[in-house]
Amino acid sequence: MDKVAIFVDVQNVYYTVRQAYKRNFDYNKFWAEVTAGREVVKAIAYAIDRADRKQQEFQNILRAIGFEVKLKPYIQRADGSAKGDWDVGITLDAIEYAEQADVIVLVSGDGDFALLVDKIRQVHGKVVEVYGVPQLTANSLMSAANEFKPIDERLLLS
């Protein structure tokens, strides 16, 4: 049985799925698909903490599914822009858990992760699966992965 480590860029998934499909990602369907016949060594969902009740309920659902939820505070800049990405945190965790897993699953369309995927494949010799919305996922990330799995109808809430 393959060991899998799963890393989900929650903000990226939320916004790309909403933009492409005007619907929400189904974390339960995703979990069932990605863990079938596999042992989970780590599963982390990275989110921004705005301290609102609906978001806290969502985070509790993720925990109930099996994810560790890592939160970073939402920062509103003086110019109105916002900051709160998890790229470095996801990268560090993925490299750390690459030793323990046979398969690394990354859920994001962010092309910045192409370097991470290359490194995990070349240095650690691991299989990397990337899940993303096809039209909103960087080509460099899709190319870097062993397998690109599109987020489409099968992984959306009804």
Side-chain angles (χ1 to χ4, degrees), residues 1 9 12 25-27 33 35 43-44 47 50 57 67 73 78 89-90 106 133 138 144 147 158:
M1 180 180 296
D9 183 350
N12 182 279
F25 186 63
D26 189 327
Y27 283 86
E33 178 175 309
T35 63
I44 306 173
R50 291 188 175 194
E57 289 170 2
F67 289 98
I90 292 169
L106 175 65
V133 173
E147 189 170 356
S158 303

Side-chain angles (χ1 to χ4, degrees), residues 1-155:
M1 180 180 296
D2 281 341
K3 293 180 180 181
V4 65
I6 306 161
F7 305 96
V8 180
D9 183 350
V10 172
Q11 305 317 111
N12 182 279
V13 172
Y14 175 79
Y15 288 110
T16 58
V17 169
R18 294 291 296 175
Q19 182 179 337
Y21 303 113
K22 313 247 184 302
R23 290 171 55 198
N24 289 312
F25 186 63
D26 189 327
Y27 283 86
N28 283 301
K29 286 180 187 172
F30 165 74
W31 184 268
E33 178 175 309
V34 80
T35 63
R38 293 173 166 172
E39 176 188 342
V40 178
V41 295
K42 196 66 171 175
I44 306 173
Y46 302 83
I48 304 305
D49 185 12
R50 291 188 175 194
D52 93 7
R53 187 174 189 178
K54 190 174 179 185
Q55 206 172 49
Q56 290 167 342
E57 289 170 2
F58 168 67
Q59 292 158 5
N60 287 334
I61 290 167
L62 291 175
R63 288 182 188 99
I65 291 169
F67 289 98
E68 173 186 341
V69 177
K70 289 193 175 185
L71 298 172
K72 183 178 274 194
Y74 176 78
I75 297 168
Q76 184 83 37
R77 295 185 182 121
D79 68 0
S81 65
K83 179 176 182 352
D85 74 59
W86 268 105
D87 291 8
V88 173
I90 292 169
T91 298
L92 291 172
D93 287 344
I95 289 171
E96 178 181 345
Y97 287 99
E99 284 301 313
Q100 301 171 34
D102 303 304
V103 178
I104 301 294
V105 175
L106 175 65
V107 185
S108 181
D110 188 337
D112 290 343
F113 290 120
L115 290 169
L116 169 65
V117 171
D118 282 337
K119 180 70 72 177
I120 289 172
R121 289 183 61 203
Q122 292 169 10
V123 173
H124 298 284
K126 306 299 175 163
V127 171
V128 181
E129 298 172 357
V130 170
Y131 281 76
V133 173
Q135 62 271 39
L136 297 172
T137 298
N139 288 330
S140 59
L141 182 58
M142 290 190 276
S143 297
N146 291 89
E147 189 170 356
F148 175 74
K149 303 213 175 194
I151 294 174
D152 55 22
E153 287 293 322
R154 79 187 193 293
L155 295 174

